[in-house]
Amino acid sequence: MSWRRVFAGRVDQIPAARHFAMYLFAETAIADEVGFVVTELASNAVRHTLSGQGGSFSVELVNNGLAYVAVSDLGGGGYPTVRPDPIDGSNREHGRGLLAISKLAVSLGVHGSPEEGHTVWADLAGVCNRPAQPPVEVAPAI
Ligand SMILES: Nc1ncnc2c1ncn2[C@@H]1O[C@H](COP(=O)(O)OP(=O)(O)O)[C@@H](O)[C@H]1O
Ligand SMILES: [Mg+2]
């Protein structure tokens, strides 16, 4: 199954994109992870590209055993870059989103260019449906 939806490149559309993704993966064990990845990638599209300057971004989701999560933006100059952890172990406010996705995902990649825009995508494992509720234990008859 696959879905694609276009969102206006506004900050208020980031939670809308997350809800869309989590709804589609609600029956799986990784709805939260899918929501996190969409939030980070959509935030990047809005914050770092022309998508966030009156443009739009699109979200593509595929559930085929792996979860494929991709966000396409309008480009505008920069490159999506995984920033490594600081060597001194210090915390930093920015530059953690793609690093966090790279640790969560089976693989993470980028298509495109600053001119035509990028598609940043991640494959997540563990999409299998949530196990059914365990049967209620019945006390043995005495
Ligand atoms: N879609 C994108 N297009 C262009 N540059 C991007 C995009 N996503 C991320 N980047 C670049 O990669 C860097 C790292 O992204 P990220 O780890 O999400 O950190 P942050 O968004 O907090 O800066 C960003 O600072 C930005 O320079
Ligand atoms: Mg970011």
Side-chain angles (χ1 to χ4, degrees):
M1 283 186 288
S2 70
W3 305 267
R4 184 171 177 276
R5 189 167 151 191
V6 179
F7 295 86
R10 299 193 311 262
V11 170
D12 69 299
Q13 294 301 288
I14 298 166
R18 183 181 78 239
H19 291 144
F20 168 67
M22 289 185 70
Y23 174 75
L24 294 172
F25 282 82
E27 297 301 315
T28 75
I30 57 165
D32 288 346
E33 286 89 337
V34 170
F36 172 77
V37 172
V38 168
T39 299
E40 291 301 323
L41 296 183
S43 301
N44 284 348
V46 171
R47 193 152 136 233
H48 300 303
T49 81
L50 293 174
S51 298
Q53 296 176 35
S56 62
F57 65 89
S58 71
V59 177
E60 189 183 350
L61 298 156
V62 180
N63 179 349
N64 64 357
L66 288 176
Y68 171 84
V69 181
V71 172
S72 300
D73 61 55
L74 298 181
Y79 293 87
T81 309
V82 178
R83 305 223 185 272
D85 274 324
I87 313 175
D88 62 5
S90 64
N91 271 332
R92 62 172 179 218
E93 197 182 334
H94 296 296
R96 311 179 69 148
L98 292 179
L99 180 65
I101 296 173
S102 75
K103 290 178 177 174
L104 195 65
V106 177
S107 47
L108 167 66
V110 179
H111 299 304
S113 67
E115 292 76 32
E116 63 178 305
H118 291 103
T119 297
V120 186
W121 61 268
D123 274 339
L124 304 176
V127 91
C128 60
N129 287 348
R130 286 183 192 282
Q133 290 296 314
V136 178
E137 274 197 30
V138 180
I142 303 174

